[in-house]
Amino acid sequence: QYPTSLFASQRRPQLEAFFICCRQLDTLNAIAGLHDPARLSAGRFTEARGFFANAIRLNRKEHLAWAGIGLLEFYENNIEKGFGFLLKALDIRSDEPDYLFASAQAAARSERYKEAAENYKRFLDVTNNLDADRRERIRGLIRFLNILGNAGSLYQSVRDDQDLRRQQNFQSL
């Protein structure tokens, strides 16, 4: 169903996210043009953003459009903005596994480790059909994120550790 040339591109994660959203957005006439593979393969993400924005203007409760624009922002490294849009999608459809998983990723990238762990946990709660191995990997990730959440910033912890070692080395001179 997907053009194979698209998957050879460097933008595979973004394109996959778009296709997931496109498949689910069939009923919205305002976004019908988003199905155009040529538009996506040409990297016309600004146009796609416009389609999502139009869908939101037509229906402020269109969770798929909020999630779509959130994924766009996230993949373009606008983490905070993307996270906000994903949270809006979750406000509308709180039990959607794709939104929970994506928002957990965005939360972790923005160092909101406890929120990330909570969203991964909620993801596991609503997805019973995952294989045991994948569920266990996600549980391990939740444990790790909870540790990071209690420690604060991962980057700050590393810097503090480096500063402590420098002080110890200086004192030993």
Side-chain angles (χ1 to χ4, degrees):
Q1 168 170 319
Y2 307 127
T4 55
S5 62
L6 292 179
F7 290 100
S9 80
Q10 292 177 314
R11 296 179 185 218
R12 181 178 177 164
Q14 294 97 321
L15 292 171
E16 288 175 341
F18 280 127
F19 280 121
I20 289 168
C21 290
C22 290
R23 260 199 326 266
Q24 297 172 345
L25 286 170
D26 263 338
T27 58
L28 287 175
N29 290 332
I31 307 182
L34 192 56
H35 281 282
D36 181 4
R39 185 174 292 140
L40 295 176
S41 65
R44 295 160 94 179
F45 299 124
T46 303
E47 241 175 270
R49 183 178 281 102
F51 285 114
F52 285 129
N54 284 338
I56 292 167
R57 273 189 222 105
L58 290 172
N59 180 1
R60 303 282 303 164
K61 293 189 182 237
E62 183 45 64
H63 56 92
L64 291 167
W66 287 109
I69 204 164
L71 286 171
L72 255 176
E73 294 294 341
F74 177 76
Y75 287 125
E76 290 183 341
N77 219 22
N78 300 319
I79 307 302
E80 294 297 322
K81 200 172 183 181
F83 183 62
F85 289 136
L86 288 164
L87 289 180
K88 179 67 176 169
L90 278 170
D91 284 345
I92 299 166
R93 177 79 53 93
S94 63
D95 62 343
E96 179 59 47
D98 291 335
Y99 306 165
L100 289 166
F101 196 86
S103 67
Q105 289 178 312
R109 284 278 309 275
S110 63
E111 295 190 29
R112 293 181 170 118
Y113 301 118
K114 288 186 179 198
E115 283 182 63
E118 179 57 33
N119 282 335
Y120 278 124
K121 185 182 177 318
R122 287 177 53 208
F123 170 79
L124 287 177
D125 290 344
V126 299
T127 55
N128 296 324
N129 59 346
L130 292 178
D131 60 79
D133 184 51
R134 184 171 181 205
R135 292 180 73 78
E136 193 50 44
R137 283 194 310 259
I138 293 172
R139 283 188 190 105
L141 179 59
I142 291 168
R143 288 189 294 274
F144 177 68
L145 290 168
N146 280 323
I147 290 168
L148 289 178
N150 291 332
S153 169
L154 172 63
Y155 304 107
Q156 187 60 44
S157 299
V158 169
R159 283 191 291 272
D160 291 345
D161 188 46
Q162 289 170 342
D163 290 343
L164 179 61
R165 276 191 251 137
R166 279 191 207 109
Q167 286 175 355
Q168 290 170 342
N169 288 340
F170 181 73
Q171 291 172 352
S172 67
L173 295 176

